[in-house]
Amino acid sequence: MHALICGSLAYDNIMVFPDRFKHHILPEQIHILNVSFLVPEMRREFGGCAGNIAYNLKLLGGSPLIMATVGDDAGPYLERLDRQELPRTHVREVSGSFTAQAFITTDLDDNQITAFHPGAMSFSHLNKVAEASGVSLGIVAPDGREGMLQHARDFAAAGIPFIFDPGQGLPMFSAAELLDFLDLADYACFNDYEAKLACDRTGMRIEQLAQRLDALIVTKGAQGSEIHHQGGCTHIPSIAATAIVDPTGCGDAYRAGLLYGIMNDWDWTRTGRIAALMGSYKIASRGPQNHAPSRAEIGERYFREFNERIW
């Protein structure tokens, strides 16, 4: 059976400015800001939450299906999906649009100026969950607003359990819409900031939100994660990475572990551990899809960390 991953496919264009923004932005002239930065270093990464989650789930031996929208410039990404043997049956090409992409400029102090163009992502509502077959679990990851609302309703109508993962898209939704998502979903996953924002917006404590779900997961970076389930809370420690290189995509790697554990009927401790392990692999590699441990390597490292065989 497949996991249907509804979310974005995107290009991340990352540029490095070999100076500091503060040397070129004059506070007293901010009302007429007109600056240009020479960025001799640039790289393009394959990203987007759906692509990142599917990539990591494939590493674990799972069977992901991506449901996403891309534009006329998607050729290199589609070719990559083919090389990775990730089906693109439900990747819709929207003519006359660009694939979603971020333009990120970083200075020597790690300050960032980012512009994000949603492009074809804005048409994600054209994809319907009912078009996919053999699906036993889903996830609604950051995507176009209408698409996220539609896919949550589609999963619920089809009786397919799913994870609600709003990510940076959470501010798009009202309190009533967030509560509706939680009532439709079986699971939800927030990072610590998103969890606080959800609580502030709904006026409810995290424990109250968790009561609407089978499980609510809150990730806290180096402090590990918490899985709220049946009135209790399981703490999952973080796993020390071999290097701290780039956090981009760590949350998506973690979510792939959640999907894998749920699909294989693992308990929440084991599920949280494999999720944390995937996050530790990702943070040691630059870019969201450049780490490539084999399934055997993942199993051996899990055994070294927890003295338990998982396959």
Side-chain angles (χ1 to χ4, degrees):
M1 298 296 281
H2 303 293
L4 183 62
I5 303 170
C6 300
S8 62
L9 293 177
Y11 292 119
D12 294 332
N13 302 282
I14 303 168
M15 295 155 281
V16 178
F17 177 53
D19 200 341
R20 292 170 170 82
F21 294 144
K22 65 183 181 183
H23 294 160
H24 300 266
I25 298 176
L26 304 177
E28 65 275 12
Q29 298 296 313
I30 198 73
H31 62 292
I32 54 170
L33 184 65
N34 186 354
V35 295
S36 176
F37 303 107
L38 179 65
V39 287
E41 181 183 337
M42 173 179 168
R43 70 180 192 276
R44 169 174 276 192
E45 299 285 0
F46 297 101
C49 293
N52 297 343
I53 294 170
Y55 177 80
N56 283 278
L57 186 55
K58 182 77 171 180
L59 291 177
L60 285 166
S63 181
L65 291 177
I66 297 172
M67 181 165 279
T69 46
V70 296
D72 296 327
D73 57 343
Y77 209 141
L78 299 179
E79 291 171 6
R80 175 181 171 79
L81 294 180
D82 291 340
R83 292 195 301 272
Q84 298 293 331
E85 298 182 346
L86 289 167
R88 51 186 175 98
T89 311
H90 305 293
V91 176
R92 180 187 295 266
E93 297 181 56
V94 181
S95 179
S97 69
F98 289 104
T99 301
Q101 46 200 298
F103 299 87
I104 306 165
T105 303
T106 303
D107 74 358
L108 295 181
D109 289 330
D110 285 332
N111 296 308
Q112 290 187 337
I113 297 175
T114 299
F116 182 76
H117 175 65
M121 197 177 79
S122 300
F123 298 90
S124 60
H125 58 280
L126 298 178
N127 288 326
K128 309 299 181 186
V129 168
E131 296 169 354
S133 59
V135 175
S136 61
L137 181 65
I139 183 168
V140 175
D143 208 349
R145 171 186 157 80
E146 294 306 314
M148 293 179 71
L149 291 165
Q150 180 65 50
H151 296 150
R153 292 191 290 263
D154 287 352
F155 276 125
I160 299 172
F162 73 96
I163 300 172
F164 172 50
D165 170 30
Q168 293 180 337
L170 192 149
M172 294 190 298
F173 303 106
S174 67
E177 288 169 332
L178 288 173
L179 292 176
D180 190 44
F181 272 121
L182 297 180
D183 289 338
L184 293 172
D186 298 82
Y187 319 95
C189 189
F190 304 139
N191 66 24
D192 197 22
Y193 174 80
E194 294 156 4
K196 289 184 174 66
L197 181 58
C199 290
D200 288 345
R201 183 151 295 186
T202 61
M204 302 176 71
R205 294 179 292 105
I206 197 70
E207 293 81 6
Q208 293 174 299
L209 296 178
Q211 290 174 3
R212 296 171 175 263
L213 300 148
D214 184 62
L216 191 157
I217 300 94
V218 179
T219 62
K220 298 187 173 185
Q223 284 70 53
S225 55
E226 295 176 349
I227 301 177
H228 298 266
H229 173 63
Q230 293 184 344
C233 181
T234 299
H235 176 70
I236 306 296
S238 63
I239 296 175
T242 56
I244 306 297
V245 176
D246 180 8
T248 307
C250 286
D252 296 328
Y254 184 100
R255 284 146 181 78
L258 291 180
L259 288 169
Y260 187 86
I262 294 169
M263 291 188 74
N264 286 277
D265 296 320
W266 286 3
D267 62 35
W268 285 111
T269 297
R270 181 185 286 184
T271 297
R273 285 173 172 177
I274 195 65
L277 181 61
M278 294 308 294
S280 75
Y281 272 117
K282 162 63 235 20
I283 202 169
S285 177
R286 189 173 300 281
Q289 296 181 28
N290 294 323
H291 55 297
S294 69
R295 190 168 186 268
E297 289 170 341
I298 294 170
E300 284 302 315
R301 187 169 173 201
Y302 188 100
F303 176 72
R304 292 196 303 271
E305 294 286 346
F306 302 111
N307 196 32
E308 178 189 16
R309 293 288 182 188
I310 52 174
W311 48 66

